[in-house]
């Protein structure tokens, strides 16, 4: 008996049931097909299968339909009869309605627990991609991150990064000698891009408490994996933020999780919906990073499944690593579509009983051409497969039901309230306040010095006039050496040199300013 996830079958006795082997589930996968061909239902039944097997799942809910995983399906559903008919046809005798342990997340903090990351965790490469910076602007951003480490100025939220850029602009002459030219125009351009990001919801994402990855990799007491659903319907209005966040999450998993080799089942399954958004206009450096993560993260027990309309949305080097495939229908209306269809069919292991290219073009809704890895990681023969019905609710749950799931979660206490601890913005503001106070004290010291000098000159004039009146000897036109030196010292102390002395004493504070 196959211990994998039952995906579907062909029925009518001409093909075996199709299972996704848990031992090879961390070798990544692809779910592709045109709009309306059944990708979302396939995503839902795979999430159910992994959860039931004790494997946590992270998935983005682009259309809002996947929230139904939190509620069991019902006999009253209009498709109940069709579900029963399909189960009988594919031999799914164990079918039954059930709900699954769902945790809702939301970068905007509206439809789920807030997901946050610090600016420092995001790093200059991904942040430059998110802000669409030029090479020169990316260089300045790298300097900002270096200074953050060297000066002890934590970058937690966008306010911290703005304060750091302002400080760099004010001290650009000194910093340019150490790190290269820091252009005011480039700093201003980055500030404008940060404003755009803030308007798109980025301000809610950057901050603390940052997401603890262990809260995504949880298993319930009854042995089922937690299904983490990211609300992405509103987030799709900011596609670059959506794609960058998911890539950041993958990178964090890659960096933080320990090596596990080839486990009996994955530690986490990561579904990347609308995957083409990650690669559209992406620089080569970013694609290479994705390729590296995809190649190595499976050794951490993480399987990555890309969901997109056409396989040619995925770079070839990454596509070659996706061993488990569910290909829904592709429509060949244009020359480009026909080329994509042909390329998609060539990536499958041939089945002599049918033409794969023709099958991909003609399969109906809820039907797909599938191929799953078999023993020793060998790709299975392509099969024309009827996808099994979902056990959870088909379609979204209500707002009240969603709020009930969120309230029952023990993660609300940890993430629902933001934390603003001392970081770059507060530290630089405190330094500016100290510098302003030091400048005030220096000005008062100069004023006091000038007042003393005026009093001394007045006293000297008064004393001199009394001496000249009380003596019969003529007043000498010349000055003694001591008096000349005294006059010179007084003049210097009340002039530029005096100010330099005062500022020299308080020079450290002026540097901070």
């Amino acid at each position: 008996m196959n211990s994998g996830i039952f995906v579907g079958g062909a029925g009518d006795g001409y093909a075996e049931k199709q299972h996704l082997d848990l031992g090879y589930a961390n070798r990544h996968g692809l779910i592709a097909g045109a709009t309306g061909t059944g990708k979302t239902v396939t995503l839902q039944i795979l999430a159910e299968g992994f959860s039931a097997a004790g494997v946590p799942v992270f998935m983005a809910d682009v259309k809002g339909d996947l929230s139904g995983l939190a509620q069991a399906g019902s006999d009253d559903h209009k498709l109940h009869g069709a579900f029963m008919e399909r189960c009988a046809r594919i031999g799914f005798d164990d079918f039954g309605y059930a709900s699954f342990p769902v945790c809702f997340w939301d970068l905007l903090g509206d439809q789920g627990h807030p997901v946050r990351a610090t600016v420092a965790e995001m790093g200059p490469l991904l942040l430059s991609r998110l802000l669409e910076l030029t090479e020169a602007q990316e260089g300045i951003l790298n300097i900002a991150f270096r200074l953050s480490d060297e000066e002890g100025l934590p970058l937690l939220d966008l306010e911290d990064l703005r304060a750091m850029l302002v400080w760099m602009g004010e001290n650009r002459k000194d910093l340019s000698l150490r790190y290269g030219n820091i252009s005011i125009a480039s700093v201003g351009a980055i500030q404008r891009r940060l404003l755009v990001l803030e308007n798109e919801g980025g301000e809610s994402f950057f901050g603390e408490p940052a997401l603890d990855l262990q809260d995504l990799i949880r298993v319930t007491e009854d042995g089922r994996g937690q299904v983490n659903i990211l609300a992405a319907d509103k987030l799709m209005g900011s596609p670059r933020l959506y794609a960058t966040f998911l890539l950041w999450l993958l990178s964090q998993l890659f960096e933080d999780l320990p090596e596990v080799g080839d486990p009996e089942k994955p530690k986490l399954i990561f579904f990347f919906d609308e995957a083409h958004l990650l690669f559209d206009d992406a620089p080569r450096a970013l694609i290479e990073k994705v390729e590296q993560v995809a190649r190595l993260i499976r050794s951490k027990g993480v399987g990555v499944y890309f969901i997109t309309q056409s396989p040619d949305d995925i770079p070839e080097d990454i596509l070659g690593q996706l061993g488990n495939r569910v290909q829904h229908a592709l429509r060949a209306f244009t020359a480009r579509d026909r080329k994509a269809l042909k390329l998609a069919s060539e990536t499958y292991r041939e089945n002599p009983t049918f033409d794969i290219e023709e099958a991909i073009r003609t399969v109906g809704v809820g039907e797909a051409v599938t191929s799953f890895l078999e023993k020793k990681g060998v790709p299975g023969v392509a099969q024309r497969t009827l996808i099994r019905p979902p056990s959870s609710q088909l379609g979204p749950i209500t707002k009240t039901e969603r709020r009930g799931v969120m309230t029952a979660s023990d993660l609300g206490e940890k993430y629902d309230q933001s934390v603003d601890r001392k970081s770059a913005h507060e530290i630089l503001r405190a330094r500016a306040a100290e510098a302003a106070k030091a400048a005030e004290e220096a000005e008062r010291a100069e004023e006091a010095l000038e007042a003393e000098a005026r009093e001394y000159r007045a006293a000297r004039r008064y004393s001199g006039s009394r001496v000249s009146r009380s003596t019969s000897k003529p007043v000498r036109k010349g000055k003694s050496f001591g008096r000349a030196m005294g006059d010179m010292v007084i003049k210097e102390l009340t002039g530029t040199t005096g100010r330099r002395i005062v500022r020299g004493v308080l020079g450290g504070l002026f540097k901070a300013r």
Side-chain angles (χ1 to χ4, degrees):
M1 183 177 179
N2 197 303
S3 61
I5 297 172
F6 178 55
V7 177
D12 301 332
Y14 66 83
E16 296 180 357
K17 296 178 181 179
Q18 296 299 299
H19 292 82
L20 195 164
D21 192 323
L22 288 173
Y24 298 105
N26 66 328
R27 300 203 180 183
H28 312 321
L30 173 70
I31 303 173
T35 301
T37 56
K39 296 192 302 294
T40 301
V41 174
T42 298
L43 183 56
Q44 185 169 344
I45 64 108
L46 287 179
E48 291 178 0
F50 282 117
S51 177
V55 179
V57 170
F58 184 92
M59 60 204 311
D61 191 3
V62 174
K63 295 180 290 186
D65 294 341
L66 295 173
S67 61
L69 281 158
Q71 297 289 333
S74 170
D75 295 345
D76 298 332
H77 195 276
K78 62 182 180 179
L79 293 178
H80 172 70
F83 286 174
M84 295 300 102
E85 181 182 346
R86 176 161 293 193
C87 288
R89 184 176 177 185
I90 63 179
F92 191 17
D93 301 327
D94 298 332
F95 176 76
Y97 292 118
S99 62
F100 294 84
V102 167
C103 182
F104 291 112
W105 303 91
D106 187 358
L107 263 67
L108 305 178
D110 181 28
Q111 302 181 72
H113 303 304
V115 181
R116 302 184 186 89
T118 65
V119 171
E121 287 176 331
M122 180 64 70
L125 175 62
L126 290 182
L127 197 56
S128 297
R129 157 73 170 167
L130 182 58
L131 298 174
E132 301 180 78
L133 301 184
T134 65
E135 185 176 351
Q137 293 162 1
E138 183 179 348
I140 290 178
L141 200 61
N142 274 280
I143 295 173
F145 277 79
R146 172 67 67 86
L147 288 170
S148 169
D149 295 333
E150 293 180 353
E151 300 288 334
L153 300 171
L155 297 177
L156 303 183
D157 53 27
L158 294 184
E159 198 66 38
D160 291 328
L161 185 55
R162 288 195 194 93
M164 175 65 78
L165 291 169
V166 169
W167 183 79
M168 289 171 60
E170 292 174 345
N171 297 274
R172 63 187 181 281
K173 291 184 179 180
D174 293 336
L175 295 175
S176 294
L177 295 175
R178 295 166 55 191
Y179 301 104
N181 182 47
I182 297 176
S183 164
I184 287 294
S186 294
V187 171
I190 298 173
Q191 295 280 37
R192 289 192 296 273
R193 294 306 306 168
L194 287 174
L195 182 61
V196 173
L197 177 60
E198 180 181 340
N199 292 336
E200 292 180 348
E203 186 176 26
S204 302
F205 171 55
F206 290 102
E208 289 187 317
L211 178 64
D212 183 354
L213 296 181
Q214 294 302 317
D215 288 330
L216 301 180
I217 312 174
R218 305 208 303 178
V219 178
T220 61
E221 293 181 356
D222 60 359
R224 294 184 298 168
Q226 176 175 286
V227 180
N228 302 279
I229 299 179
L230 175 71
D233 49 343
K234 294 181 180 178
L235 189 59
M236 292 308 294
S238 308
R240 196 170 292 268
L241 177 59
Y242 165 77
T244 305
F245 162 71
L246 292 185
L247 180 55
W248 166 79
L249 187 54
L250 269 181
S251 300
Q252 291 296 105
L253 290 167
F254 172 67
E255 292 173 5
D256 294 352
L257 294 180
E259 295 277 346
V260 295
D262 288 318
E264 293 182 359
K265 61 183 180 182
K267 192 169 186 178
L268 176 71
I269 291 295
F270 189 101
F271 289 104
F272 202 133
D273 202 358
E274 299 292 343
H276 66 279
L277 296 174
L278 177 60
F279 305 107
D280 287 348
D281 302 322
R284 183 60 198 170
L286 185 63
I287 294 177
E288 289 175 353
K289 182 176 179 63
V290 178
E291 181 184 344
Q292 178 193 37
V293 170
R295 185 187 307 113
L296 301 178
I297 201 171
R298 74 177 185 88
S299 64
K300 306 293 183 82
V302 178
V304 183
Y305 287 69
F306 294 94
I307 299 93
T308 189
Q309 292 195 12
S310 175
D312 68 352
D313 293 334
I314 311 295
E316 188 174 351
D317 291 340
I318 297 173
L319 186 63
Q321 300 178 47
L322 311 181
N324 300 295
R325 301 191 181 189
V326 179
Q327 177 67 64
H328 290 275
L330 287 177
R331 309 307 181 196
F333 297 120
T334 66
R336 183 181 182 277
D337 292 340
R338 288 191 291 273
K339 182 179 179 181
L341 174 60
K342 182 175 179 61
L343 290 175
S345 66
E346 291 175 349
T347 61
Y348 284 86
R349 184 177 167 188
E350 291 185 4
N351 187 328
T353 63
F354 66 91
D355 182 273
I356 296 176
E357 183 176 344
E358 177 67 15
I360 294 175
R361 188 175 63 84
T362 59
V363 289
V365 176
E367 188 176 358
V369 174
T370 62
S371 175
F372 301 111
L373 295 177
E374 298 176 345
K375 291 182 179 180
K376 298 182 180 180
V378 176
V381 174
Q383 297 289 352
R384 190 164 178 161
T385 306
L386 292 174
I387 304 300
R388 52 148 285 201
S391 298
S392 54
Q393 178 177 308
L394 188 63
I397 60 177
T398 65
K399 292 183 178 180
T400 302
E401 290 170 333
R402 179 188 287 266
R403 183 57 56 186
V405 173
M406 292 172 57
T407 302
S409 171
D410 61 342
L411 294 175
E413 185 177 350
K414 182 175 182 179
Y415 291 107
D416 287 354
Q417 295 297 323
S418 63
V419 176
D420 187 15
R421 64 184 175 95
K422 188 176 181 180
S423 52
H425 176 244
E426 290 79 12
I427 294 173
L428 290 173
R429 185 172 59 185
R431 287 186 184 179
E434 290 177 3
K437 182 179 179 181
E440 252 183 73
E441 293 175 353
E443 289 176 2
R444 285 199 295 268
E446 288 183 29
E447 291 173 357
L449 194 60
E450 289 176 357
E452 289 182 9
R454 285 194 298 270
E455 290 178 3
Y456 176 80
R457 286 195 298 268
R460 185 171 60 82
R461 285 196 300 269
Y462 175 74
S463 175
S465 64
R466 291 192 61 181
V467 170
S468 61
R469 285 195 301 269
S470 62
T471 181
S472 59
K473 295 181 180 180
V475 178
R476 297 175 60 185
K477 293 182 180 180
K479 295 180 181 179
S480 68
F481 178 75
R483 179 174 293 182
M485 285 296 295
D487 290 347
M488 184 176 66
V489 169
I490 294 298
K491 182 178 180 181
E492 286 299 314
L493 287 176
T494 58
T496 304
T497 304
R499 294 188 181 93
R500 287 176 180 170
I501 292 173
V502 173
R503 289 171 181 161
V505 172
L506 300 174
L509 292 175
F510 275 92
K511 286 182 181 179
R513 185 182 182 189

